[in-house]
Amino acid sequence: MKTLNVQLGARSYPIYIGSGLLDRSDSIRPHIPGRQVLIVSNDTVAHWYRDRLEQALHGLEVDVALIPDGEAHKTLETCNGIFGALLERRFDRTCTLVALGGGVIGDIAGFAAACYQRGVHFVQVPTTLLAQVDSSVGGKTGVNHPLGKNMIGAFHQPLCVVADTDTLSTLPDRELKAGLAEVIKYGLIRDPEFFSWLEEHLDSLLARDNEALAFAIERSCRNKADVVAEDERERGVRALLNLGHTFGHAIEAGCGFGTWLHGEAVAAGTMMAADLSVRLGWLADAERHRAGQIFSRAGLPVHPPKDMSPDAFRRHMSVDKKARDGRLHLVLLRGIGEAVLSGDVPSSHLDATLRATIAAA
Amino acid sequence: MKTLNVQLGARSYPIYIGSGLLDRSDSIRPHIPGRQVLIVSNDTVAHWYRDRLEQALHGLEVDVALIPDGEAHKTLETCNGIFGALLERRFDRTCTLVALGGGVIGDIAGFAAACYQRGVHFVQVPTTLLAQVDSSVGGKTGVNHPLGKNMIGAFHQPLCVVADTDTLSTLPDRELKAGLAEVIKYGLIRDPEFFSWLEEHLDSLLARDNEALAFAIERSCRNKADVVAEDERERGVRALLNLGHTFGHAIEAGCGFGTWLHGEAVAAGTMMAADLSVRLGWLADAERHRAGQIFSRAGLPVHPPKDMSPDAFRRHMSVDKKARDGRLHLVLLRGIGEAVLSGDVPSSHLDATLRATIAAA
């Protein structure tokens, strides 16, 4: 078991990474301060892992709330169902919510924990690669609104994160690949050495080699933990973690949440950001090519959906959380391993990128 | 204009109290950091004060969202309407929500500000006595759930609070009296000198004497600000501010939110807490009598609703936020000006209080 600490003062917490952690009584249990525990999961994940997790929490008052699967259900309404479950069971301020599942489960359960009685405890047990390397680290929680993704939420740090690599064995191929998009992202934004390692070991990751996966997860979490420790509330450097996300969110919203997986949208969105970076003269074409190559090898899309218009992109991008007083700020690349937050991007360059990348699709 | 500072480190903020503040460009305006402002109000309040507030914010991009009036609409659904209004107008992270109205408006708008894009700025312009002395100070925001009041929420401090005493001129009598319940509460829990002042000046307050009101508001806010500065997250002493609230919330929920005003329920709830305190031998009967006298003189109820059963009380009280691992903690009185948080209250004493106070109604 590898342990990695996210340094946030009084809100610091450990991430445990390894095989067989779900069963170990020394991973989650010591972190739960009260008696009442609500596991939040969905049918699919609960089918595989619920019993093992309940066993590890033996002796506590454990209940389970199953919520519908998928990004389309990441709504205030689903959250309200969790509040109902907590209130029906008379759960008080000392209770703990345990998110067992992917990023959607973690985001919803985390937001429910942030708001229930103005904040209760929270543990993340991510069971997808995406959640293990990204959404379960850093305390961002929230739900979607029909007019924008992740527009309603809170910063709420977990007591601990338990990433059991065994859970990836039941992950569909498409979701494994979507998770790799975020792994590759860390290489692109701040860790060129890791990017090279990924180029070399991508096939092992796709073959689900346990050792390669554990290394990639730990390195990804370490990158994210370093950034979050420096800028918990995203006043500055944390925004760089959103490489590809402004374009990506527009794709997800434009196609209807759940049609493209988040990681797929991030891959295509990153290549759009790379295109814009090349246009601005910031990124060499050869480096954009390297980025495109690794996404393609991972079976990820490198173009936006061809039926989405530049107008649709602009509409969805204008509500992005990185917009400030009407100006759009984008994360762009100056090289492999060097992301920067742009000032106001000239709209002529943005238009050219939208037209060119959609045409290439 | 009186200025009172709530000391919360980086989240410190001023409360301005006085006549004619709504019109003054030096009260709210200097605190707003961005360009986009959404005033959240209801029809009644907006009718009186919207134009004056918009005038004071002249030059900014100001919009208004009107929400339905009353505690029954303090729901996630109403909040979702505010999120929709913000997203339709493309409001970004630099925007500010201004709550113009009573406690319900402040609680909803504050919670919306806490959650929109994981937190935007927020200003309170309370227009009821209750909101000026209680709900607008201290950063508690939230909405109700059908199974419990204020069960969904966040701590989110405003940039400033502007309490214009002129706005009380349009306040219905019943609401003025309900606000006095919380004013009297400060005397009861920690300020015996203020309690004596209230006994002496209650008639001036009921006659809406401006000077008496300004004094009572400032003294109330000072009491609350002191407590909140000591214990922002209600780990200890802040719980004392909830004198009468556990019983009171049960009354509000049992009768249907909005039937009893919050202050009315707090007055009756405080007298129930006083009854229990006398039963436990903590409070002298003469002091309970003084409390009952002043509530009665203010035209407030001193008994619970006679058609509510002890069982209904117990059911609603068991989800109280002060419950911990199944044990009920109540704020009780040891004297005028001395509240204490009880340990586990013997259920025989609680039963006796419920039976006796309901029978007396």
PDB file of all heavy atoms in Angstrom, chain A residues 40-68:
ATOM      1  N   VAL A  40     -22.688   5.692  -0.513  1.00  0.00           N
ATOM      2  CA  VAL A  40     -23.414   6.141  -1.699  1.00  0.00           C
ATOM      3  C   VAL A  40     -22.780   5.463  -2.907  1.00  0.00           C
ATOM      4  O   VAL A  40     -21.560   5.552  -3.113  1.00  0.00           O
ATOM      5  CB  VAL A  40     -23.345   7.675  -1.851  1.00  0.00           C
ATOM      6  CG1 VAL A  40     -24.076   8.124  -3.112  1.00  0.00           C
ATOM      7  CG2 VAL A  40     -23.929   8.359  -0.621  1.00  0.00           C
ATOM      8  N   SER A  41     -23.585   4.733  -3.675  1.00  0.00           N
ATOM      9  CA  SER A  41     -23.041   3.997  -4.812  1.00  0.00           C
ATOM     10  C   SER A  41     -24.122   3.837  -5.875  1.00  0.00           C
ATOM     11  O   SER A  41     -25.211   4.402  -5.743  1.00  0.00           O
ATOM     12  CB  SER A  41     -22.532   2.628  -4.334  1.00  0.00           C
ATOM     13  OG  SER A  41     -21.763   2.010  -5.339  1.00  0.00           O
ATOM     14  N   ASN A  42     -23.807   3.115  -6.944  1.00  0.00           N
ATOM     15  CA  ASN A  42     -24.858   2.772  -7.911  1.00  0.00           C
ATOM     16  C   ASN A  42     -24.944   1.248  -8.021  1.00  0.00           C
ATOM     17  O   ASN A  42     -24.100   0.525  -7.494  1.00  0.00           O
ATOM     18  CB  ASN A  42     -24.617   3.452  -9.268  1.00  0.00           C
ATOM     19  CG  ASN A  42     -23.335   2.978  -9.938  1.00  0.00           C
ATOM     20  OD1 ASN A  42     -22.963   1.815  -9.851  1.00  0.00           O
ATOM     21  ND2 ASN A  42     -22.644   3.894 -10.598  1.00  0.00           N
ATOM     22  N   ASP A  43     -25.975   0.777  -8.716  1.00  0.00           N
ATOM     23  CA  ASP A  43     -26.235  -0.657  -8.819  1.00  0.00           C
ATOM     24  C   ASP A  43     -25.018  -1.459  -9.263  1.00  0.00           C
ATOM     25  O   ASP A  43     -24.662  -2.465  -8.651  1.00  0.00           O
ATOM     26  CB  ASP A  43     -27.351  -0.895  -9.864  1.00  0.00           C
ATOM     27  CG  ASP A  43     -28.703  -0.990  -9.181  1.00  0.00           C
ATOM     28  OD1 ASP A  43     -28.737  -1.419  -8.009  1.00  0.00           O
ATOM     29  OD2 ASP A  43     -29.707  -0.624  -9.810  1.00  0.00           O
ATOM     30  N   THR A  44     -24.396  -0.994 -10.349  1.00  0.00           N
ATOM     31  CA  THR A  44     -23.299  -1.735 -10.955  1.00  0.00           C
ATOM     32  C   THR A  44     -22.135  -1.905  -9.982  1.00  0.00           C
ATOM     33  O   THR A  44     -21.651  -3.018  -9.754  1.00  0.00           O
ATOM     34  CB  THR A  44     -22.774  -0.972 -12.202  1.00  0.00           C
ATOM     35  OG1 THR A  44     -23.896  -0.439 -12.896  1.00  0.00           O
ATOM     36  CG2 THR A  44     -21.961  -1.872 -13.085  1.00  0.00           C
ATOM     37  N   VAL A  45     -21.704  -0.795  -9.417  1.00  0.00           N
ATOM     38  CA  VAL A  45     -20.540  -0.845  -8.521  1.00  0.00           C
ATOM     39  C   VAL A  45     -20.891  -1.574  -7.221  1.00  0.00           C
ATOM     40  O   VAL A  45     -20.096  -2.375  -6.705  1.00  0.00           O
ATOM     41  CB  VAL A  45     -20.031   0.586  -8.227  1.00  0.00           C
ATOM     42  CG1 VAL A  45     -18.888   0.551  -7.221  1.00  0.00           C
ATOM     43  CG2 VAL A  45     -19.596   1.274  -9.513  1.00  0.00           C
ATOM     44  N   ALA A  46     -22.090  -1.303  -6.705  1.00  0.00           N
ATOM     45  CA  ALA A  46     -22.505  -1.948  -5.456  1.00  0.00           C
ATOM     46  C   ALA A  46     -22.518  -3.467  -5.620  1.00  0.00           C
ATOM     47  O   ALA A  46     -22.139  -4.218  -4.718  1.00  0.00           O
ATOM     48  CB  ALA A  46     -23.880  -1.440  -5.033  1.00  0.00           C
ATOM     49  N   HIS A  47     -22.944  -3.920  -6.788  1.00  0.00           N
ATOM     50  CA  HIS A  47     -22.973  -5.355  -7.072  1.00  0.00           C
ATOM     51  C   HIS A  47     -21.610  -6.000  -6.833  1.00  0.00           C
ATOM     52  O   HIS A  47     -21.495  -7.079  -6.251  1.00  0.00           O
ATOM     53  CB  HIS A  47     -23.405  -5.574  -8.527  1.00  0.00           C
ATOM     54  CG  HIS A  47     -23.190  -6.969  -9.018  1.00  0.00           C
ATOM     55  ND1 HIS A  47     -23.998  -8.024  -8.635  1.00  0.00           N
ATOM     56  CD2 HIS A  47     -22.239  -7.502  -9.835  1.00  0.00           C
ATOM     57  CE1 HIS A  47     -23.564  -9.142  -9.211  1.00  0.00           C
ATOM     58  NE2 HIS A  47     -22.501  -8.850  -9.931  1.00  0.00           N
ATOM     59  N   TRP A  48     -20.547  -5.319  -7.257  1.00  0.00           N
ATOM     60  CA  TRP A  48     -19.201  -5.883  -7.121  1.00  0.00           C
ATOM     61  C   TRP A  48     -18.608  -5.678  -5.720  1.00  0.00           C
ATOM     62  O   TRP A  48     -17.936  -6.565  -5.193  1.00  0.00           O
ATOM     63  CB  TRP A  48     -18.239  -5.227  -8.131  1.00  0.00           C
ATOM     64  CG  TRP A  48     -18.538  -5.557  -9.560  1.00  0.00           C
ATOM     65  CD1 TRP A  48     -19.134  -4.743 -10.487  1.00  0.00           C
ATOM     66  CD2 TRP A  48     -18.270  -6.790 -10.245  1.00  0.00           C
ATOM     67  NE1 TRP A  48     -19.258  -5.384 -11.684  1.00  0.00           N
ATOM     68  CE2 TRP A  48     -18.728  -6.644 -11.584  1.00  0.00           C
ATOM     69  CE3 TRP A  48     -17.677  -7.996  -9.861  1.00  0.00           C
ATOM     70  CZ2 TRP A  48     -18.621  -7.656 -12.531  1.00  0.00           C
ATOM     71  CZ3 TRP A  48     -17.560  -9.005 -10.812  1.00  0.00           C
ATOM     72  CH2 TRP A  48     -18.031  -8.835 -12.121  1.00  0.00           C
ATOM     73  N   TYR A  49     -18.781  -4.509  -5.142  1.00  0.00           N
ATOM     74  CA  TYR A  49     -17.927  -4.138  -3.996  1.00  0.00           C
ATOM     75  C   TYR A  49     -18.633  -3.804  -2.687  1.00  0.00           C
ATOM     76  O   TYR A  49     -17.983  -3.638  -1.665  1.00  0.00           O
ATOM     77  CB  TYR A  49     -17.007  -2.972  -4.408  1.00  0.00           C
ATOM     78  CG  TYR A  49     -16.205  -3.295  -5.636  1.00  0.00           C
ATOM     79  CD1 TYR A  49     -16.411  -2.630  -6.828  1.00  0.00           C
ATOM     80  CD2 TYR A  49     -15.260  -4.329  -5.593  1.00  0.00           C
ATOM     81  CE1 TYR A  49     -15.693  -2.952  -7.969  1.00  0.00           C
ATOM     82  CE2 TYR A  49     -14.538  -4.671  -6.732  1.00  0.00           C
ATOM     83  CZ  TYR A  49     -14.761  -3.978  -7.927  1.00  0.00           C
ATOM     84  OH  TYR A  49     -14.055  -4.316  -9.042  1.00  0.00           O
ATOM     85  N   ARG A  50     -19.947  -3.692  -2.728  1.00  0.00           N
ATOM     86  CA  ARG A  50     -20.669  -3.284  -1.534  1.00  0.00           C
ATOM     87  C   ARG A  50     -20.416  -4.198  -0.336  1.00  0.00           C
ATOM     88  O   ARG A  50     -20.138  -3.730   0.773  1.00  0.00           O
ATOM     89  CB  ARG A  50     -22.166  -3.254  -1.865  1.00  0.00           C
ATOM     90  CG  ARG A  50     -23.049  -3.097  -0.683  1.00  0.00           C
ATOM     91  CD  ARG A  50     -24.505  -3.267  -1.099  1.00  0.00           C
ATOM     92  NE  ARG A  50     -25.348  -3.261   0.075  1.00  0.00           N
ATOM     93  CZ  ARG A  50     -26.649  -2.995   0.060  1.00  0.00           C
ATOM     94  NH1 ARG A  50     -27.249  -2.723  -1.077  1.00  0.00           N
ATOM     95  NH2 ARG A  50     -27.344  -3.008   1.169  1.00  0.00           N
ATOM     96  N   ASP A  51     -20.508  -5.512  -0.559  1.00  0.00           N
ATOM     97  CA  ASP A  51     -20.364  -6.452   0.559  1.00  0.00           C
ATOM     98  C   ASP A  51     -18.985  -6.346   1.209  1.00  0.00           C
ATOM     99  O   ASP A  51     -18.859  -6.353   2.434  1.00  0.00           O
ATOM    100  CB  ASP A  51     -20.594  -7.888   0.087  1.00  0.00           C
ATOM    101  CG  ASP A  51     -22.062  -8.135  -0.247  1.00  0.00           C
ATOM    102  OD1 ASP A  51     -22.896  -7.269   0.116  1.00  0.00           O
ATOM    103  OD2 ASP A  51     -22.358  -9.159  -0.888  1.00  0.00           O
ATOM    104  N   ARG A  52     -17.961  -6.226   0.343  1.00  0.00           N
ATOM    105  CA  ARG A  52     -16.600  -6.140   0.891  1.00  0.00           C
ATOM    106  C   ARG A  52     -16.418  -4.874   1.715  1.00  0.00           C
ATOM    107  O   ARG A  52     -15.794  -4.888   2.782  1.00  0.00           O
ATOM    108  CB  ARG A  52     -15.577  -6.191  -0.242  1.00  0.00           C
ATOM    109  CG  ARG A  52     -15.455  -7.611  -0.836  1.00  0.00           C
ATOM    110  CD  ARG A  52     -14.600  -7.612  -2.091  1.00  0.00           C
ATOM    111  NE  ARG A  52     -13.245  -7.118  -1.839  1.00  0.00           N
ATOM    112  CZ  ARG A  52     -12.360  -6.889  -2.805  1.00  0.00           C
ATOM    113  NH1 ARG A  52     -12.693  -7.096  -4.071  1.00  0.00           N
ATOM    114  NH2 ARG A  52     -11.163  -6.438  -2.516  1.00  0.00           N
ATOM    115  N   LEU A  53     -16.982  -3.775   1.229  1.00  0.00           N
ATOM    116  CA  LEU A  53     -16.848  -2.517   1.965  1.00  0.00           C
ATOM    117  C   LEU A  53     -17.636  -2.565   3.280  1.00  0.00           C
ATOM    118  O   LEU A  53     -17.131  -2.142   4.332  1.00  0.00           O
ATOM    119  CB  LEU A  53     -17.337  -1.353   1.089  1.00  0.00           C
ATOM    120  CG  LEU A  53     -17.206   0.051   1.677  1.00  0.00           C
ATOM    121  CD1 LEU A  53     -15.769   0.343   2.093  1.00  0.00           C
ATOM    122  CD2 LEU A  53     -17.674   1.107   0.667  1.00  0.00           C
ATOM    123  N   GLU A  54     -18.833  -3.115   3.236  1.00  0.00           N
ATOM    124  CA  GLU A  54     -19.625  -3.222   4.469  1.00  0.00           C
ATOM    125  C   GLU A  54     -18.894  -4.090   5.487  1.00  0.00           C
ATOM    126  O   GLU A  54     -18.909  -3.813   6.689  1.00  0.00           O
ATOM    127  CB  GLU A  54     -21.013  -3.805   4.164  1.00  0.00           C
ATOM    128  CG  GLU A  54     -21.926  -2.796   3.487  1.00  0.00           C
ATOM    129  CD  GLU A  54     -23.396  -3.212   3.505  1.00  0.00           C
ATOM    130  OE1 GLU A  54     -24.065  -2.969   4.531  1.00  0.00           O
ATOM    131  OE2 GLU A  54     -23.856  -3.769   2.491  1.00  0.00           O
ATOM    132  N   GLN A  55     -18.254  -5.151   5.007  1.00  0.00           N
ATOM    133  CA  GLN A  55     -17.480  -6.031   5.887  1.00  0.00           C
ATOM    134  C   GLN A  55     -16.369  -5.236   6.582  1.00  0.00           C
ATOM    135  O   GLN A  55     -16.158  -5.367   7.789  1.00  0.00           O
ATOM    136  CB  GLN A  55     -16.893  -7.177   5.052  1.00  0.00           C
ATOM    137  CG  GLN A  55     -16.372  -8.343   5.867  1.00  0.00           C
ATOM    138  CD  GLN A  55     -17.411  -8.877   6.853  1.00  0.00           C
ATOM    139  OE1 GLN A  55     -18.588  -9.036   6.507  1.00  0.00           O
ATOM    140  NE2 GLN A  55     -16.997  -9.096   8.097  1.00  0.00           N
ATOM    141  N   ALA A  56     -15.686  -4.401   5.795  1.00  0.00           N
ATOM    142  CA  ALA A  56     -14.575  -3.622   6.359  1.00  0.00           C
ATOM    143  C   ALA A  56     -15.072  -2.591   7.377  1.00  0.00           C
ATOM    144  O   ALA A  56     -14.300  -2.108   8.204  1.00  0.00           O
ATOM    145  CB  ALA A  56     -13.803  -2.921   5.235  1.00  0.00           C
ATOM    146  N   LEU A  57     -16.372  -2.252   7.306  1.00  0.00           N
ATOM    147  CA  LEU A  57     -16.935  -1.260   8.235  1.00  0.00           C
ATOM    148  C   LEU A  57     -17.775  -1.930   9.319  1.00  0.00           C
ATOM    149  O   LEU A  57     -18.555  -1.276  10.018  1.00  0.00           O
ATOM    150  CB  LEU A  57     -17.788  -0.235   7.464  1.00  0.00           C
ATOM    151  CG  LEU A  57     -17.037   0.580   6.408  1.00  0.00           C
ATOM    152  CD1 LEU A  57     -17.988   1.426   5.590  1.00  0.00           C
ATOM    153  CD2 LEU A  57     -15.978   1.459   7.080  1.00  0.00           C
ATOM    154  N   HIS A  58     -17.597  -3.228   9.451  1.00  0.00           N
ATOM    155  CA  HIS A  58     -18.356  -4.025  10.416  1.00  0.00           C
ATOM    156  C   HIS A  58     -18.353  -3.372  11.812  1.00  0.00           C
ATOM    157  O   HIS A  58     -17.317  -2.930  12.291  1.00  0.00           O
ATOM    158  CB  HIS A  58     -17.743  -5.426  10.500  1.00  0.00           C
ATOM    159  CG  HIS A  58     -18.486  -6.329  11.428  1.00  0.00           C
ATOM    160  ND1 HIS A  58     -19.731  -6.846  11.121  1.00  0.00           N
ATOM    161  CD2 HIS A  58     -18.180  -6.784  12.664  1.00  0.00           C
ATOM    162  CE1 HIS A  58     -20.158  -7.585  12.134  1.00  0.00           C
ATOM    163  NE2 HIS A  58     -19.225  -7.575  13.084  1.00  0.00           N
ATOM    164  N   GLY A  59     -19.535  -3.334  12.444  1.00  0.00           N
ATOM    165  CA  GLY A  59     -19.611  -2.777  13.793  1.00  0.00           C
ATOM    166  C   GLY A  59     -20.177  -1.372  13.802  1.00  0.00           C
ATOM    167  O   GLY A  59     -20.658  -0.888  14.817  1.00  0.00           O
ATOM    168  N   LEU A  60     -20.101  -0.699  12.648  1.00  0.00           N
ATOM    169  CA  LEU A  60     -20.703   0.632  12.556  1.00  0.00           C
ATOM    170  C   LEU A  60     -22.143   0.497  12.047  1.00  0.00           C
ATOM    171  O   LEU A  60     -22.552  -0.558  11.570  1.00  0.00           O
ATOM    172  CB  LEU A  60     -19.889   1.510  11.585  1.00  0.00           C
ATOM    173  CG  LEU A  60     -18.444   1.770  11.993  1.00  0.00           C
ATOM    174  CD1 LEU A  60     -17.682   2.467  10.876  1.00  0.00           C
ATOM    175  CD2 LEU A  60     -18.390   2.607  13.272  1.00  0.00           C
ATOM    176  N   GLU A  61     -22.904   1.585  12.178  1.00  0.00           N
ATOM    177  CA  GLU A  61     -24.287   1.594  11.681  1.00  0.00           C
ATOM    178  C   GLU A  61     -24.234   1.978  10.200  1.00  0.00           C
ATOM    179  O   GLU A  61     -24.253   3.150   9.856  1.00  0.00           O
ATOM    180  CB  GLU A  61     -25.058   2.646  12.487  1.00  0.00           C
ATOM    181  CG  GLU A  61     -26.548   2.664  12.320  1.00  0.00           C
ATOM    182  CD  GLU A  61     -27.162   3.843  13.081  1.00  0.00           C
ATOM    183  OE1 GLU A  61     -26.789   4.092  14.256  1.00  0.00           O
ATOM    184  OE2 GLU A  61     -27.995   4.534  12.492  1.00  0.00           O
ATOM    185  N   VAL A  62     -24.123   0.967   9.324  1.00  0.00           N
ATOM    186  CA  VAL A  62     -23.877   1.227   7.904  1.00  0.00           C
ATOM    187  C   VAL A  62     -25.150   1.052   7.075  1.00  0.00           C
ATOM    188  O   VAL A  62     -25.848   0.055   7.207  1.00  0.00           O
ATOM    189  CB  VAL A  62     -22.787   0.280   7.351  1.00  0.00           C
ATOM    190  CG1 VAL A  62     -22.535   0.570   5.870  1.00  0.00           C
ATOM    191  CG2 VAL A  62     -21.504   0.430   8.145  1.00  0.00           C
ATOM    192  N   ASP A  63     -25.440   2.024   6.255  1.00  0.00           N
ATOM    193  CA  ASP A  63     -26.571   1.934   5.341  1.00  0.00           C
ATOM    194  C   ASP A  63     -26.081   2.261   3.935  1.00  0.00           C
ATOM    195  O   ASP A  63     -24.999   2.810   3.772  1.00  0.00           O
ATOM    196  CB  ASP A  63     -27.659   2.923   5.778  1.00  0.00           C
ATOM    197  CG  ASP A  63     -28.995   2.227   5.910  1.00  0.00           C
ATOM    198  OD1 ASP A  63     -29.373   1.534   4.956  1.00  0.00           O
ATOM    199  OD2 ASP A  63     -29.629   2.374   6.967  1.00  0.00           O
ATOM    200  N   VAL A  64     -26.882   1.920   2.932  1.00  0.00           N
ATOM    201  CA  VAL A  64     -26.462   2.153   1.546  1.00  0.00           C
ATOM    202  C   VAL A  64     -27.541   2.931   0.804  1.00  0.00           C
ATOM    203  O   VAL A  64     -28.727   2.629   0.936  1.00  0.00           O
ATOM    204  CB  VAL A  64     -26.206   0.811   0.814  1.00  0.00           C
ATOM    205  CG1 VAL A  64     -25.774   1.064  -0.631  1.00  0.00           C
ATOM    206  CG2 VAL A  64     -25.146  -0.010   1.545  1.00  0.00           C
ATOM    207  N   ALA A  65     -27.142   3.954   0.073  1.00  0.00           N
ATOM    208  CA  ALA A  65     -28.069   4.664  -0.821  1.00  0.00           C
ATOM    209  C   ALA A  65     -27.576   4.460  -2.247  1.00  0.00           C
ATOM    210  O   ALA A  65     -26.453   4.834  -2.572  1.00  0.00           O
ATOM    211  CB  ALA A  65     -28.116   6.149  -0.477  1.00  0.00           C
ATOM    212  N   LEU A  66     -28.398   3.824  -3.070  1.00  0.00           N
ATOM    213  CA  LEU A  66     -28.024   3.632  -4.473  1.00  0.00           C
ATOM    214  C   LEU A  66     -28.656   4.736  -5.304  1.00  0.00           C
ATOM    215  O   LEU A  66     -29.837   5.036  -5.161  1.00  0.00           O
ATOM    216  CB  LEU A  66     -28.502   2.263  -4.971  1.00  0.00           C
ATOM    217  CG  LEU A  66     -27.881   1.057  -4.257  1.00  0.00           C
ATOM    218  CD1 LEU A  66     -28.396  -0.241  -4.851  1.00  0.00           C
ATOM    219  CD2 LEU A  66     -26.353   1.116  -4.325  1.00  0.00           C
ATOM    220  N   ILE A  67     -27.838   5.358  -6.143  1.00  0.00           N
ATOM    221  CA  ILE A  67     -28.359   6.441  -6.981  1.00  0.00           C
ATOM    222  C   ILE A  67     -28.204   6.034  -8.439  1.00  0.00           C
ATOM    223  O   ILE A  67     -27.389   5.157  -8.759  1.00  0.00           O
ATOM    224  CB  ILE A  67     -27.650   7.785  -6.679  1.00  0.00           C
ATOM    225  CG1 ILE A  67     -26.157   7.702  -6.969  1.00  0.00           C
ATOM    226  CG2 ILE A  67     -27.873   8.195  -5.225  1.00  0.00           C
ATOM    227  CD1 ILE A  67     -25.428   9.025  -6.747  1.00  0.00           C
ATOM    228  N   PRO A  68     -28.991   6.630  -9.332  1.00  0.00           N
ATOM    229  CA  PRO A  68     -28.928   6.229 -10.737  1.00  0.00           C
ATOM    230  C   PRO A  68     -27.559   6.532 -11.331  1.00  0.00           C
ATOM    231  O   PRO A  68     -26.884   7.477 -10.931  1.00  0.00           O
ATOM    232  CB  PRO A  68     -30.027   7.051 -11.410  1.00  0.00           C
ATOM    233  CG  PRO A  68     -30.452   8.090 -10.437  1.00  0.00           C
ATOM    234  CD  PRO A  68     -30.030   7.650  -9.087  1.00  0.00           C
TER     235      PRO A  68
END
